[in-house]
Amino acid sequence: MAHFGYFLSSEEHGPKELVDQARMAERAGFDCLWISDHYHPWNGQQGQSPFVWSVIGALSQAVSLPVETAVTCPIVRTHPAVIAQAVATSAVQLDGRFRFGVGTGEALNEHILGGAWPEASVRLEMLQEAVEIIRKLLTGEQVSHYGKHYVVENARLYTVPGEPVPVDVSAFGPQSAEAAGGFGDGLITMGPAADMVERFRSSGGADKPVAGGLKVCWNTVREDAVRTAHRLWANEQLPGELAQILPTPRHFEQACELVTEEQVSSSVPCGDDPDTHVEALTAFVDAGFDAVYVNQIGKDQQGFFDFYRTKVLPRLRDRQSA
């Protein structure tokens, strides 16, 4: 049976709010948590971006749910040896309830140190090398690594979990889905793409978990929900590689002037019709996903959690039981 999780948005909420939402998610009956890892929000309207590893520390004390980054880019902004220490500490704090989600990142977050932003194929190569380093360090053994992209010398982590940390790889295209099947412990993607699942599974991910995410906007007035989703997350509708190459929130704001409310309305589940929300999540289950993470757009988080606790999650689980 598929698990249903909540996706904590670090771009839209501060650290205290994220911890409060995690508590609400657990009370509402969600099974697990994703949390985004950003340096910048996508646009100024979202307006937040706390340091994810500090928030994960707080989550470890606030809830009993599993937690995963969705996703961390360990290739440019932060050296993989440093990320390995953050992963190890998080896994220890969460007593085995931590999964590490990784991806090739966006210039929005990663270019801030002034270096070049590599093309997608190079970033994927860097990601594979970074994951190799992180896995070695998580063993607690001393590591020296002299690779194409990274050097690690005489590094050892002394605080390490007792079991390996699963590393799930984010993919949005065929090349990355195939790579994820080869070196990832699971797949992360957005949207119920059955072809992505199949490509991942046929490339080495046959028995590995597949997780997907989506955004919704619950509101008792559907038109208000559409306006909120358009104001805060129009960037979700940008095509192609724009999300990976635009460098600042202001550039995203400029690009999002081309996104209409009608586009958002047809793409994002909005309003308070339970059928709309149930069908959106069921599409992932039907496409072969093992877990689906949903994020509520906007400030009315308690209304959303009450709605999902009473009208959405019970129906999703009844469907699976049937």
Side-chain angles (χ1 to χ4, degrees), residues 47-65:
Q48 292 287 339
S49 199
F51 188 56
V52 70
W53 302 105
S54 298
V55 181
I56 289 172
L59 293 175
S60 73
Q61 304 303 301
V63 296
S64 62
L65 299 179

Side-chain angles (χ1 to χ4, degrees), residues 14-142:
K16 294 180 180 179
E17 291 77 17
L18 292 170
V19 174
D20 287 342
Q21 289 166 25
R23 292 191 181 102
M24 288 189 280
E26 185 164 33
R27 289 195 295 267
F30 283 95
D31 301 315
C32 37
L33 297 170
W34 268 359
I35 183 167
S36 56
D37 180 0
H38 269 238
Y39 193 89
H40 293 138
W42 296 100
N43 57 60
Q45 286 290 318
Q46 292 170 1
Q48 292 287 339
S49 199
F51 188 56
V52 70
W53 302 105
S54 298
V55 181
I56 289 172
L59 293 175
S60 73
Q61 304 303 301
V63 296
S64 62
L65 299 179
V67 178
E68 178 167 16
T69 55
V71 294
T72 294
C73 177
I75 66 173
V76 176
R77 171 170 42 115
T78 313
H79 193 283
V82 178
I83 291 291
Q85 188 179 27
V87 170
T89 300
S90 297
V92 170
Q93 286 179 302
L94 283 156
D95 294 320
R97 293 178 286 118
F98 182 68
R99 296 184 75 92
F100 183 42
V102 300
T104 55
E106 306 88 18
L108 173 72
N109 301 303
E110 305 303 322
H111 85 291
I112 58 170
L113 301 181
W117 181 235
E119 63 180 34
S121 61
V122 176
R123 300 199 314 269
L124 185 57
E125 184 181 82
M126 295 171 71
L127 181 63
Q128 293 184 60
E129 185 176 338
V131 169
E132 177 187 351
I133 292 167
I134 291 165
R135 283 180 169 144
K136 287 179 179 177
L137 285 166
L138 289 174
T139 65
E141 298 296 322
Q142 182 169 298

Side-chain angles (χ1 to χ4, degrees), residues 140-184:
E141 298 296 322
Q142 182 169 298
V143 174
S144 291
H145 173 95
Y146 302 93
K148 181 176 180 179
H149 300 288
Y150 304 105
V151 172
V152 179
E153 195 164 84
N154 303 331
R156 179 184 172 188
L157 297 179
Y158 282 81
T159 299
V160 294
E163 299 292 332
V165 178
V167 181
D168 299 331
V169 178
S170 173
F172 295 96
Q175 181 183 8
S176 55
E178 291 176 6
F183 76 94

Side-chain angles (χ1 to χ4, degrees), residues 257-276:
E257 291 176 8
L258 302 174
V259 178
T260 66
E261 287 189 6
E262 289 72 23
Q263 287 175 281
V264 171
S265 178
S266 64
S267 301
V268 180
C270 290
D272 64 348
D273 178 8
D275 289 339
T276 299

